[in-house]
């Protein structure tokens, strides 16, 4: 017996960065009934709101889907944990909080790929619309929007020194990474308010939760889209463990992200016919691009022991140190407990042939063997670097017809010669950064991957041992007009009616930065297109 949840003008699947924006904007019309579905629970969990709590949310079944990648050949057979938010706010409840739009050239490329209305000049007003920046306004920034953007509440002299070292390599200090050109070094700005995480729920849902035409269901996992001919007319789901269904009189909007959205489409008979047939799923619409074109940022975590500088390693090594860190946060909402996972950013080119910066450094005053493990006992810094525009393309594919079975996630990291060249060059540049005059006083000593590794092919292999995702999957339902495109520039699923996608899966190519701010922008655009 399926519970009938009723009929709505708009049903939004996924209450993450995009879904929360859509619920806010579409329910602004009191004549429309809006239903927002979230497979996870409430964001009423203290570790969501304390910035350092991402350590306790990633990998936690209360807040994370718990995905893993397939064994990656060019990561030397490793399988990576692949956190995705399963909670109100989605990844904005468990991510690194960094506010980063990417480069103007990213969006101009989308337009040049045949997606009118998606160039930098088109999307900049959408970024500004939802932004509440701590200090900047005018051409590039907004104030008074829903999404708080603040400076991090911390200071590390060793990071200031790295920033000065970057100047020796020709990288200037800048104040703003979000004016279309992120070349330079600066401390990352974050989605926080007074030392607390400011997720999509706080920004977009809490101010409108009172609207009578907005219904929000948690623990509601979509299982299959219902079609009448080519039109999406409803959705099968499980609500609090029980089967249910909902009717859609207007549009069904998928905002489940680059993993959840293609999985739901494939389970519903929309995707590559061969894949669907292998799992006994009737083909509603053969759309070969669903689940393909997966792109992600792979972070190479080089690390260096240092002398004569304070790092978080030794600061938190004792009970007294831990207590002082907790006290600082309790009294001032500052210090290590207010930290985003990355503090200092450096954007530059790995090679002069690139038109804009193609690598990004995340510099941290700490080191550890792997994410989630204890910090080292000796003073050290991590100089992580990622290829902003990887050539590799992977996929997301269902492994059965059962909605509870996680799909196969295969990013194919470092699978192209170009990506391996950038990886080797990135490690070399990290070394050059540590060999500057400014860093000499700290006597940096490389221990990851190891100074003995020198040849480019050896560096690329070493990158496969120490690199990990920074959780930016995109592209698996990409926008375009060719045979492999999934949505058109209006975000309508090609060949179907009443069905749109509004999340990072629609990106034709990955942006040169973090993905939360672009996810918000995509939802702003979708809301305008729908309305």
């Amino acid at each position: 017996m399926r519970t009938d949840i009723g009929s709505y003008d708009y049903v939004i699947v996924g209450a993450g960065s995009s879904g929360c924006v859509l619920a806010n904007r579409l329910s602004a019309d009191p004549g429309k009934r809006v239903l927002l579905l979230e497979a996870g629970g409430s964001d009423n969990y203290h570790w969501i709101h304390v910035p350092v709590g991402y350590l306790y949310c990633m990998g936690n079944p209360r807040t994370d889907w718990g995905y893993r990648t397939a064994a990656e050949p060019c990561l030397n057979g490793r399988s990576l944990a692949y956190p995705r938010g399963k909670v109100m706010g989605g990844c904005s409840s468990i991510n690194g909080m960094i506010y980063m739009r990417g480069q103007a050239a990213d969006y101009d490329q989308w337009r040049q790929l045949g997606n009118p209305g998606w160039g930098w000049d088109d999307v900049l007003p959408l970024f500004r619309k939802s932004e509440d920046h701590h200090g900047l306004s005018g051409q590039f920034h907004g104030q008074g929007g829903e999404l708080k953007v603040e400076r991090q509440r911390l200071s590390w002299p060793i990071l200031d020194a790295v920033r000065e070292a970057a100047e020796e390599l020709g990288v200037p200090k800048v104040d703003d990474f979000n004016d279309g050109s992120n070349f330079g070094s600066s401390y990352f700005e974050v989605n926080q308010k007074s030392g607390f995480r400011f997720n999509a729920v706080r920004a977009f849902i809490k101010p409108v939760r009172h609207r009578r035409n907005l219904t929000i269901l948690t623990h509601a996992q979509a299982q299959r889209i219902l079609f009448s001919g080519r039109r999406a007319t409803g959705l099968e789901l499980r609500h609090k463990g029980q089967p249910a269904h909902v009717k859609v009189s207007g549009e069904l909007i998928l905002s489940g992200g680059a993993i959840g959205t293609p999985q739901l489409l494939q389970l519903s008979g929309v995707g590559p016919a061969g894949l669907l047939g292998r799992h006994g799923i009737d083909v509603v619409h053969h759309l070969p691009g669903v689940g393909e074109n997966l792109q992600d940022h792979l972070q190479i975590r080089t690390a260096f022991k240092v002398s004569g500088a304070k790092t978080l390693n030794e600061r938190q090594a004792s009970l007294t140190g831990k207590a002082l860190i907790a006290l600082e946060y309790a009294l001032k909402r500052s210090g290590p407990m207010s930290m985003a996972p990355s503090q200092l950013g450096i954007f530059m080119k790995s090679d002069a042939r690139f038109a804009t910066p193609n690598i990004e450094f995340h510099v941290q005053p700490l080191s550890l063997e792997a994410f989630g493990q204890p910090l080292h006992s000796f003073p050290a810094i991590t100089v992580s670097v990622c290829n902003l525009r990887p050539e590799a393309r992977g996929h997301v594919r269902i492994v059965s017809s059962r909605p509870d079975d996680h799909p196969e996630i295969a990013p194919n990291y470092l699978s192209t010669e170009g990506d391996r060249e950038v990886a080797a060059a990135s490690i070399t540049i990290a070394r050059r950064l540590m060999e500057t005059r400014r860093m000499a006083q700290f006597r940096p000593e490389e221990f990851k991957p190891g100074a003995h590794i020198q040849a480019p092919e050896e560096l690329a292999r070493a990158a496969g041992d120490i690199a990990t995702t920074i959780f930016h999957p995109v592209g698996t339902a990409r926008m375009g007009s060719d045979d492999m495109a999934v949505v058109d520039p209006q975000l309508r699923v090609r060949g179907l009616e009443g069905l749109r996608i509004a999340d990072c899966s629609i990106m034709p190519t990955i942006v040169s930065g973090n993905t939360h701010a672009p996810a918000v922008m995509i939802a702003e655009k979708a809301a305008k297109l729908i309305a």
Side-chain angles (χ1 to χ4, degrees):
M1 182 71 178
R2 292 187 178 274
T3 301
D4 185 353
I5 293 175
S7 179
Y8 291 82
D9 297 286
Y10 302 119
V11 174
I12 304 161
V13 179
S17 302
S18 299
C20 288
V21 176
L22 283 164
N24 178 302
R25 301 300 188 232
L26 296 178
S27 65
D29 179 351
K32 301 293 185 181
R33 298 186 68 218
V34 179
L35 175 65
L36 177 63
L37 300 173
E38 170 52 46
S42 164
D43 69 333
N44 184 22
Y45 178 46
H46 66 284
W47 283 127
I48 288 175
H49 304 291
V50 177
V52 79
Y54 69 89
L55 290 168
Y56 307 101
C57 290
M58 292 184 180
N60 181 345
R62 177 171 179 169
T63 50
D64 182 5
W65 281 96
Y67 298 127
R68 294 195 69 87
T69 69
E72 285 284 294
C74 294
L75 298 191
N76 306 321
R78 292 189 298 136
S79 166
L80 302 182
Y82 217 67
R84 297 281 87 197
K86 186 181 182 182
V87 65
M88 285 294 296
C91 289
S92 78
S93 292
I94 70 171
N95 69 4
M97 296 162 283
I98 292 172
Y99 183 81
M100 182 69 61
R101 299 170 178 173
Q103 299 168 8
D106 299 331
Y107 302 98
D108 289 343
Q109 183 186 20
W110 291 6
R111 181 177 56 200
Q112 291 158 11
L113 288 172
N115 298 295
W118 289 91
W120 174 248
D121 291 342
D122 301 306
V123 302
L124 179 57
L126 300 172
F127 281 115
R128 292 173 53 217
K129 175 185 170 97
S130 54
E131 185 182 23
D132 188 11
H133 196 275
H134 64 85
L136 298 176
S137 59
Q139 179 183 358
F140 295 113
H141 290 279
Q143 293 182 338
E146 292 85 355
L147 190 61
K148 295 285 184 183
V149 180
E150 294 189 348
R151 292 191 179 102
Q152 295 193 56
R153 301 160 70 89
L154 50 88
S155 176
W156 291 92
I158 186 66
L159 297 185
D160 295 334
V162 174
R163 197 176 181 198
E164 291 163 7
E167 288 187 295
E168 293 186 40
L169 301 186
V171 182
K173 294 180 180 178
V174 297
D175 295 324
D176 186 9
F177 278 146
N178 289 303
D179 62 1
S181 171
N182 50 22
F183 175 53
S185 74
S186 191
Y187 283 90
F188 291 115
E189 294 182 321
V190 289
N191 294 127
Q192 292 184 9
K193 181 180 181 181
S194 303
F196 289 103
R197 177 189 292 273
F198 204 78
N199 66 356
V201 179
R202 289 188 70 188
F204 297 101
I205 295 300
K206 288 191 175 178
V208 302
R209 192 65 186 87
H210 63 281
R211 290 177 180 167
R212 287 194 239 178
N213 62 326
L214 174 60
T215 301
I216 300 172
L217 296 182
T218 57
H219 303 289
Q221 183 174 346
Q223 299 201 306
R224 187 167 67 95
I225 301 166
L226 302 175
F227 292 93
S228 177
R230 293 275 174 170
R231 182 170 190 82
T233 57
L235 190 72
E236 289 182 357
L237 61 145
R238 292 191 74 82
H239 182 220
K240 297 181 178 179
Q242 300 303 311
H245 68 271
V246 60
K247 299 182 184 68
V248 181
S249 59
E251 293 197 38
L252 177 65
I253 308 149
L254 307 186
S255 296
I259 309 302
T261 286
Q263 180 189 22
L264 179 59
L265 286 170
Q266 292 169 5
L267 290 170
S268 306
V270 179
L275 173 69
L276 306 183
R278 285 198 299 274
H279 298 298
I281 296 172
D282 292 336
V283 178
V284 172
H285 181 43
H286 172 58
L287 207 52
V290 173
E292 303 303 303
N293 192 50
L294 174 63
Q295 299 159 59
D296 190 16
H297 287 143
L298 184 72
Q299 177 175 248
I300 304 168
R301 296 178 60 83
T302 72
F304 300 80
K305 294 181 181 179
V306 293
S307 303
K310 289 184 177 179
T311 73
L312 186 56
N313 286 9
E314 66 274 16
R315 187 172 173 185
Q316 61 81 52
S318 67
L319 289 176
T320 300
K322 289 183 173 68
L324 290 174
I325 288 171
L327 184 63
E328 179 180 3
Y329 185 74
L331 296 178
K332 300 179 181 179
R333 297 289 182 260
S334 63
M337 287 187 68
S338 72
M339 282 169 51
S342 295
Q343 296 79 46
L344 177 67
I346 302 170
F347 289 83
M348 62 188 297
K349 300 176 186 178
S350 67
D351 188 290
R353 64 191 167 93
F354 291 97
T356 63
N358 70 303
I359 59 173
E360 175 187 9
F361 285 91
H362 293 79
V363 190
Q364 303 152 320
L366 54 86
S367 67
L368 66 170
E369 283 302 307
F371 181 82
Q373 294 190 17
L375 301 186
H376 292 127
S377 59
F378 47 81
I381 63 173
T382 299
V383 186
S384 296
V385 56
C386 76
N387 181 353
L388 289 169
R389 296 186 293 277
E391 297 173 349
R393 298 293 183 267
H395 63 255
V396 174
R397 297 172 184 163
I398 54 171
V399 298
S400 78
S401 60
R402 295 183 294 273
D404 290 335
D405 289 347
H406 288 177
E408 179 185 70
I409 303 169
N412 292 331
Y413 297 120
L414 300 178
S415 59
T416 73
E417 185 61 33
D419 286 355
R420 291 191 292 274
E421 288 177 1
V422 171
S426 297
I427 296 173
T428 300
I429 294 170
R431 290 170 170 173
R432 286 176 52 206
L433 191 64
M434 293 297 102
E435 291 165 357
T436 55
R437 291 188 303 275
R438 181 64 183 92
M439 295 305 295
Q441 74 177 85
F442 304 109
R443 299 193 295 280
E445 180 184 342
E446 179 183 331
F447 66 96
K448 280 185 180 293
H452 63 285
I453 303 172
Q454 291 292 330
E457 60 273 14
E458 293 175 349
L459 288 174
R461 179 170 177 81
D465 288 328
I466 63 174
T468 187
T469 174
I470 43 175
F471 322 123
H472 297 163
V474 308
T476 51
R478 74 168 174 84
M479 177 170 54
S481 56
D482 60 284
D483 289 344
M484 291 299 289
V486 177
V487 298
D488 65 16
Q490 286 72 47
L491 305 183
R492 299 171 298 204
V493 176
R494 298 174 64 244
L496 298 173
E497 298 176 6
L499 183 62
R500 287 194 212 231
I501 299 174
D503 57 33
C504 289
S505 69
I506 65 97
M507 291 187 183
T509 53
I510 195 167
V511 293
S512 303
N514 301 66
T515 50
H516 169 56
V520 170
M521 179 277 292
I522 288 167
E524 293 279 21
K525 178 81 168 181
K528 288 187 67 175
L529 292 169
I530 293 166

